[in-house]
Amino acid sequence: MRQYEKTGILSIKDLKIPSKKQFEKGVAILECVQEIPCNPCVDSCPVHAISMKDINAPPVNNFEKCIGCTKCVGVCPGLAIFVIKIKANTAWITLPYEFVTVPKVGDVVQALDRKGKVRGKALVKKVVKHGKTMVVTIEVNSSLAMSIRNIRV
Ligand code: SF4
Ligand code: SF4
């Protein structure tokens, strides 16, 4: 049994990791590993980068095709998609956000890891409404790119 099946929390070891070049252009990380009948991410992608063997299979992102457009982030009912772009020491993480206090561009917020632990500060760079979900882009140190998955305003 994998660790996340006991804890409900994924770790980097459970994920497919893009190359440095792919991170530089920006790529979607699909933190979706359960076999559930769901596929809005597949339909949302303008370049058909996301695929599934069947409707119950976990989605797979083709990092070479992905253009980091972030369109898939707000459509995922599981809030499981994050777009990561890294250049030198800076990373931009686009994440789904559904709490009541919505951040504004320019805010400095707490950067939280998958367990909800505060790992540092993040600068809010962009906030876009997608239905009930806000799609928020934050800037953090690149060392945190694969750790930060939520924010606290
Ligand atoms: S970020 Fe854009 S291109 Fe990449 S998988 Fe999501 S929708 Fe497709
Ligand atoms: S939309 Fe989200 S929950 Fe549904 S298959 Fe895609 S990544 Fe998984």
Coordinates of all heavy atoms in Angstrom, one line a residue, residues 74 128-134:
G74 N -8.7 25.5 -13.1 CA -10.0 25.9 -12.5 C -11.1 24.9 -12.7 O -12.2 25.0 -12.1
V128 N -7.6 35.0 -10.9 CA -8.7 34.9 -12.0 C -9.8 34.0 -11.4 O -9.6 33.0 -10.8 CB -8.1 34.2 -13.3 CG1 -9.1 34.1 -14.3 CG2 -6.9 35.0 -13.8
K129 N -11.0 34.5 -11.7 CA -12.2 33.7 -11.2 C -12.6 32.7 -12.3 O -12.7 33.0 -13.5 CB -13.4 34.7 -11.0 CG -14.5 34.1 -10.2 CD -15.4 35.3 -9.8 CE -16.7 34.9 -9.1 NZ -17.0 33.6 -8.7
H130 N -12.8 31.4 -11.8 CA -13.3 30.4 -12.8 C -14.5 29.7 -12.1 O -14.3 28.8 -11.3 CB -12.2 29.4 -13.1 CG -12.6 28.4 -14.1 ND1 -12.2 28.5 -15.4 CD2 -13.4 27.3 -14.1 CE1 -12.7 27.5 -16.1 NE2 -13.5 26.8 -15.3
G131 N -15.7 30.2 -12.4 CA -16.8 29.7 -11.6 C -16.7 30.0 -10.2 O -16.4 31.1 -9.8
K132 N -16.8 28.9 -9.3 CA -16.7 29.1 -7.9 C -15.2 29.0 -7.4 O -14.9 29.2 -6.3 CB -17.4 28.0 -7.2 CG -18.9 28.1 -7.3 CD -19.6 27.0 -6.5 CE -21.1 27.0 -6.7 NZ -21.7 25.8 -6.3
T133 N -14.3 28.7 -8.4 CA -12.9 28.5 -8.0 C -12.1 29.7 -8.5 O -12.3 30.2 -9.6 CB -12.4 27.3 -8.7 OG1 -13.2 26.2 -8.4 CG2 -10.9 27.0 -8.3
M134 N -11.3 30.2 -7.6 CA -10.3 31.3 -8.0 C -9.0 30.5 -8.4 O -8.6 29.5 -7.8 CB -10.0 32.2 -6.8 CG -11.1 32.8 -6.1 SD -12.2 33.7 -7.2 CE -11.2 35.1 -7.7

